[in-house]
Amino acid sequence: EVLIIDSTFTQNTGELGGSLINAAGKITITKIDSVTNNTLSGVTFELLDSNKNAAVDAYGNKVAAKTSDSSGKIVFENLLFGTYYLRETKAGGSYKPLTDLITINVDNFIITKDILNDPLGKIIVTKIDEETNKVLSGATFELLDKNLQPAVDAYGNKVPAKTTDANGLLTFENLNFGTYYLKETKNPEGYKVIANPVLANVKDFSNSVTVENTPIVVEVIKRDLFNDTIYLEGATIVVKNVETEE
């Protein structure tokens, strides 16, 4: 046994005071964005013991969950040497939560650990008429990955197709950073289908893409049956859907 005053106390100290307990240390965690290396505040961790139960400190007190501060740091102090696990219970708003426990071996008085979180992004699509800029509802898109295969989100789930609303908007969320493509599978009524997938890069939390549709225009010219140099005015044309006859 060694005499310690706090978790940074070394075995070589000759100072007296405090309580006589087993060697204890502290864990300092720094939360970091895996893309930018910026530190992350607002991330909460619980500390578990070697049996994956709530940990207690060297004095027998349950170790409270802690949240990273403005510098991305969390400190768990007065820990007996041994194996612990960190469980993330709250990730930052635009980051993928960690689902696996992180093993920490406290075998020294000061243990430091950098923990990375992958940022998540979303694609906001706006559909408009290329001539009038009017927003278009009823356009359906599938999201494809960089290999033009159906995309999956940050949790491994296939991203479902989505349709633009009354404001011409649709959103694909919880996406890892990277390259995606938008494939139009249903065009708005009265507009041409977009044949080629549209590039959409996710490099920030919110990524906007405007997709234009070309209206279908039918031009009818009435001429004399026997003299095509004579143009006819005043004719009434009725256009019907072949399937519905409407």
Side-chain angles (χ1 to χ4, degrees):
E1 292 184 326
V2 295
L3 189 66
I4 69 167
I5 297 175
D6 60 35
S7 58
T8 61
F9 193 84
T10 68
Q11 289 179 325
N12 296 324
T13 183
E15 297 179 6
L16 297 177
S19 302
L20 190 64
I21 59 175
N22 291 326
K26 70 176 179 181
I27 302 169
T28 300
I29 302 164
T30 304
K31 286 293 292 183
I32 299 174
D33 183 306
S34 64
V35 175
T36 66
N37 288 325
N38 292 332
T39 57
L40 305 176
S41 63
V43 183
T44 302
F45 279 94
E46 291 179 343
L47 190 67
L48 308 179
D49 62 19
S50 60
N51 296 315
K52 300 180 181 179
N53 298 314
V56 296
D57 65 17
Y59 303 100
N61 302 312
K62 180 182 176 180
V63 178
K66 293 194 175 184
T67 300
S68 59
D69 60 19
S70 59
S71 62
K73 293 191 180 299
I74 295 172
V75 179
F76 292 106
E77 298 182 285
N78 297 322
L79 302 174
L80 294 176
F81 282 15
T83 299
Y84 295 86
Y85 296 93
L86 292 165
R87 178 165 62 197
E88 187 176 82
T89 59
K90 178 188 173 186
S94 59
Y95 289 86
K96 181 181 178 180
L98 300 179
T99 56
D100 295 331
L101 298 180
I102 299 169
T103 305
I104 301 285
N105 290 312
V106 178
D107 54 6
N108 209 329
F109 294 99
I110 301 176
I111 303 296
T112 60
K113 179 73 173 178
D114 291 344
I115 301 177
L116 306 182
N117 274 68
D118 295 329
L120 299 179
K122 63 181 178 181
I123 299 171
I124 302 173
V125 180
T126 305
K127 284 289 290 184
I128 62 171
D129 182 304
E130 70 170 9
E131 296 180 357
T132 66
N133 289 332
K134 173 187 174 182
V135 295
L136 303 175
S137 63
T140 302
F141 283 91
E142 291 181 353
L143 190 66
L144 307 179
D145 63 20
K146 64 181 180 180
N147 298 313
L148 299 178
Q149 300 300 312
V152 296
D153 65 19
Y155 305 100
N157 303 311
K158 181 182 176 182
V159 178
K162 294 195 174 184
T163 301
T164 54
D165 61 18
N167 297 311
L169 298 173
L170 65 81
T171 303
F172 293 108
E173 298 180 290
N174 294 324
L175 302 175
N176 288 320
F177 280 29
T179 299
Y180 297 87
Y181 291 91
L182 299 163
K183 180 182 177 182
E184 187 174 74
T185 57
K186 179 187 175 186
N187 53 308
E189 185 175 350
Y191 289 84
K192 296 179 181 179
V193 176
I194 297 175
N196 297 319
V198 178
L199 177 66
N201 288 315
V202 176
K203 54 185 179 181
D204 293 298
F205 169 62
S206 184
N207 306 269
S208 297
V209 179
T210 299
V211 182
E212 299 178 346
N213 272 70
T214 304
I216 298 171
V217 177
V218 178
E219 184 179 44
V220 179
I221 300 175
K222 286 290 290 181
R223 292 175 177 169
D224 186 285
L225 178 63
F226 303 103
N227 186 348
D228 62 7
T229 65
I230 299 175
Y231 294 88
L232 305 176
E233 297 181 29
T236 300
I237 305 296
V238 177
V239 179
K240 291 187 176 183
N241 186 302
V242 174
E243 297 178 354
T244 64
E245 294 187 355
E246 296 179 352

